[in-house]
Amino acid sequence: MNSINCCVIKIGSNVLTTKEGKPDLERMNHLVSEISNFHKKGIKVILVSSGAVAFGRKEISLPEKLNPVLKKQIWASTGQIELINKYKSLFEERKLQVAQILVTKEDFRDRKHFLNMKNCVLGLLSQGIIPVINENDTVAITELMFTDNDELASLSAAMVDADTLVLLTNVNGIYTGSPDHPDSELIRVVAQDSEELASYISATKSSFGRGGMLTKLNMSKKSADLGIQVFIANGKQDNILTNILAKDTDFTYFEPKKAKQSTKKWLAHGDQYFKGEVIINQGAKSALFDQKISSLLPIGVITIEGEFKKGDILRISDEQGNRIGLGRAEYPSKTALEKIGQKNQKPIIHYDYLYLFHHE
Ligand SMILES: Nc1ncnc2c1ncn2[C@@H]1O[C@H](COP(=O)(O)OP(=O)(O)O)[C@@H](O)[C@H]1O
Ligand SMILES: N[C@@H](CCC(=O)OP(=O)(O)O)C(=O)O
């Protein structure tokens, strides 16, 4: 395990609520105290906290029949105030300040939004302020939604170049079956090329949770692939963060691969955020996978789909429809269409902004 210098800690709804669904303020206080200790040790912490819906639900009762999306919006928008106020006062007791950052998927899609957000978070960290991130549930409905806050936490860890991601939930990690079943065993380490674990995971999730354990697994694998070590651990357990630091507790640990350059990390998460698609020929495909570093040139492009601006994410596919990778557009779709198939043109995707899925 690597040392922890900068980490994203994600707290799931069920960690912050009691069995009856009420906010668990004692737990919240304990976790704030633990995070403050990390801070004192010089570890940079970005907190991704769920709980807005759960906090809102306890304050406001709504008619059964009301549209469920609207219910969630009402609870989240009212509950977020409660949630952040509580964090503010609990951190203030420890002489620490917090900032609230509410985001949607679109903010990770648009490079400008992304860089503005990144600069703000890094600025807050440089001033010793703890960013508390949550999804903007008022705006983020249907296709604008993250799968859940595990995805948001994983994106945030890549954004700030964190070395560690901690996903705190209500179980000790990923088990080989239902965590309540006596035969189920905790998977302690997920090695870089370990077997597929998805089959162990059932669809159950906590009453306020969204993605369940499967998103945690997928996001952990993605983060580890980018060079970020991941711990899935039990946020209901006392001293969990201290014990993770001391490596003296139960958790599922994902071994990180060699760290990727930060632009490539942004791109790696782009498979749902791309604005256009570039279909390339066999020659271009071979060049991209060659040992020699290569950018994608218009001569290797067969067609371009979608409208995009300079800086948007593009997906690259081959003629058979296989997805090859992602890259950042060097120029807008209009210019790209004019250059298709031409020699001696500037790359449409520069190597520094290219992320390939699999090496052949
Ligand atoms: N194989 C498994 N190992 C551990 N937990 C599992 C597994 N399969 C399903 N789960 C469920 O996943 C839940 C955690 O996911 P979720 O409710 O989304 O948490 P959170 O609100 O913390 O994001 C656990 O409470 C557990 O019931
Ligand atoms: N943004 C929502 C959290 C949604 C979510 O992903 O919850 P969870 O699966 O418990 O992390 C809220 O604050 O209630």
Side-chain angles (χ1 to χ4, degrees), residues 113-131:
H113 279 215
F114 174 82
L115 289 176
N116 290 346
M117 181 165 58
K118 176 175 176 169
N119 286 340
C120 175
V121 173
L122 293 180
L124 290 164
L125 290 176
S126 72
Q127 298 308 309
I129 301 167
I130 298 180

Side-chain angles (χ1 to χ4, degrees), residues 10 12 14 169-170 173 175 177 179 200 202 204-206 212-213 216:
K10 185 259 172 171
N14 60 58
T169 181
N170 62 346
Y175 286 81
Y200 293 139
S202 59
T204 47
K205 52 190 162 212
S206 58
M213 194 48 83
K216 281 186 226 310

Side-chain angles (χ1 to χ4, degrees), residues 192-260:
Q192 285 173 18
D193 299 309
S194 69
E195 51 163 329
E196 194 43 68
L197 304 178
S199 62
Y200 293 139
I201 294 169
S202 59
T204 47
K205 52 190 162 212
S206 58
S207 46
F208 301 105
R210 203 152 81 200
M213 194 48 83
L214 197 58
T215 335
K216 281 186 226 310
L217 168 65
N218 291 337
M219 290 303 128
S220 302
K221 281 206 304 214
K222 191 153 211 169
S223 299
D225 240 23
L226 296 175
I228 301 166
Q229 63 177 346
V230 185
F231 298 86
I232 300 181
N234 196 336
K236 287 282 189 196
Q237 224 178 69
D238 283 351
N239 304 316
I240 186 68
L241 293 173
T242 313
N243 291 341
I244 286 177
L245 210 55
K247 297 162 193 115
D248 181 23
T249 187
D250 282 343
F251 47 67
T252 300
Y253 176 73
F254 290 75
E255 280 182 353
K257 284 196 178 160
K258 205 169 140 264
K260 297 248 184 330

